[in-house]
């Protein structure tokens, strides 16, 4: 039975492809990066000179260092919450990686089914004398769908890999951040403070690498 390409709603993977597109649109690592920027500001506040250097000459000229110091004082009171939030965001990125990878695999499975249907339809078209217009249109439609699925699956792979890389990279820093924030709250100026600042600056450098 010939079916119109425009009304062909039962091709393999259509619902999976729509779900994958929605997942891509919702994927983001921005919340974790924003939280880590706030934690970086808190760590910088342990050394006023480092905080001033972080905004550069022009930033100091327009008073960005003053605003950043005020922001750091406010953020310092929420540093524990920020640290837990960063941990939750890293876990979310791990889940995001698993979700996107699952979508990619389902699209690849759909590509296999589409290829089987493409091969079967191509044989039927070849057996008919010159094929049928409806068959030719449907064949082109299925080939286009398969290409779209392959492109989306590749995008899913890239975004999933990026989510995992960010989560694993920064998750390794969270225990050190916790220790440094505890030190920042409890260590007074002196030798220990100098060691704290050194560790804090190394951690900041690694977060920004």
């Amino acid at each position: 039975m010939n079916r119109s390409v425009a009304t062909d709603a039962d091709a393999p993977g259509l619902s999976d492809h729509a779900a994958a597109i929605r997942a891509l649109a919702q994927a983001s690592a921005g919340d974790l990066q924003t939280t880590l920027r706030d934690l970086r500001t808190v760590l910088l506040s342990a050394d006023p000179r480092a905080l001033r250097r972080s905004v550069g000459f022009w930033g100091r000229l327009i008073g960005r260092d003053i605003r950043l110091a005020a922001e750091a004082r406010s953020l310092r009171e929420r540093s524990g919450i920020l640290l837990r939030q960063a941990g939750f965001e890293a876990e979310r990125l791990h889940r995001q990686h698993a979700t996107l990878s699952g979508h990619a695999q389902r699209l690849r499975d759909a590509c296999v089914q589409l290829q089987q249907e493409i091969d079967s339809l191509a044989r039927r078209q070849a057996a008919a004398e010159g094929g049928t217009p409806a068959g030719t249109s449907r064949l082109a439609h299925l080939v286009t769908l398969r290409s779209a699925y392959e492109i989306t699956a590749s995008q899913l792979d890239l975004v999933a890999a990026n989510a995992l890389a960010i989560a694993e990279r920064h998750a390794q820093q969270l225990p050190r951040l916790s220790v440094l924030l505890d030190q920042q709250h409890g260590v007074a100026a002196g030798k220990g403070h100098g060691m704290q600042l050194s560790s804090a600056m190394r951690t900041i450098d690694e977060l920004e690498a």
Side-chain angles (χ1 to χ4, degrees):
M1 180 174 61
N2 291 336
R3 290 178 294 181
S4 168
V5 169
T7 60
D8 184 5
D10 59 351
L14 285 176
S15 61
D16 288 330
H17 191 234
I21 293 296
R22 289 193 296 272
L24 275 174
Q26 295 167 1
S28 172
D31 290 342
L32 175 59
Q33 292 169 328
T34 298
T35 302
L36 289 170
R37 278 197 299 271
D38 289 342
L39 287 168
R40 170 187 178 275
T41 299
V42 174
L43 290 178
L44 277 172
S45 69
D47 184 354
R49 287 177 300 180
L51 188 144
R52 288 193 295 271
R53 286 195 301 270
S54 73
V55 301
F57 172 77
W58 291 109
R60 293 193 299 275
L61 196 63
I62 62 176
R64 285 191 60 195
D65 56 326
I66 298 173
R67 291 196 299 272
L68 192 61
E71 181 183 354
R73 287 193 294 272
S74 173
L75 291 171
R76 196 179 305 126
E77 298 174 357
R78 300 191 296 114
S79 59
I81 295 173
L82 290 171
L83 191 64
R84 289 192 295 275
Q85 184 175 324
F88 293 149
E89 286 299 326
E91 292 174 4
R92 183 187 65 80
L93 286 178
H94 276 106
R95 293 194 298 272
Q96 179 174 292
H97 169 264
T99 297
L100 296 178
S101 296
H103 281 299
Q105 185 57 53
R106 284 189 288 276
L107 286 182
R108 291 193 176 90
D109 293 342
C111 283
V112 172
Q113 298 177 49
L114 277 174
Q115 189 59 54
Q116 292 172 349
E117 188 168 343
I118 288 168
D119 293 341
S120 175
L121 182 55
R123 286 193 295 270
R124 292 198 302 273
Q125 285 289 97
E129 189 66 33
T132 65
T136 300
S137 295
R138 179 168 172 76
L139 187 60
H141 175 60
L142 294 177
V143 170
T144 299
L145 275 182
R146 185 197 60 195
S147 297
Y149 292 179
E150 290 171 344
I151 291 170
T152 302
S154 295
Q155 292 174 326
L156 287 162
D157 286 338
L158 288 173
V159 177
N162 184 59
L164 184 62
I166 291 173
E168 291 188 342
R169 172 188 173 193
H170 292 304
Q172 294 171 0
Q173 303 299 332
L174 293 181
R176 292 178 59 189
L177 283 170
S178 179
V179 171
L180 290 169
L181 289 168
D182 286 343
Q183 289 176 343
Q184 193 175 62
H185 285 301
V187 179
K191 181 179 179 181
H193 187 60
M195 293 173 62
Q196 173 198 354
L197 294 180
S198 176
S199 296
M201 295 314 297
R202 282 199 302 271
T203 301
I204 289 170
D205 290 341
E206 290 171 7
L207 284 173
E208 295 179 334

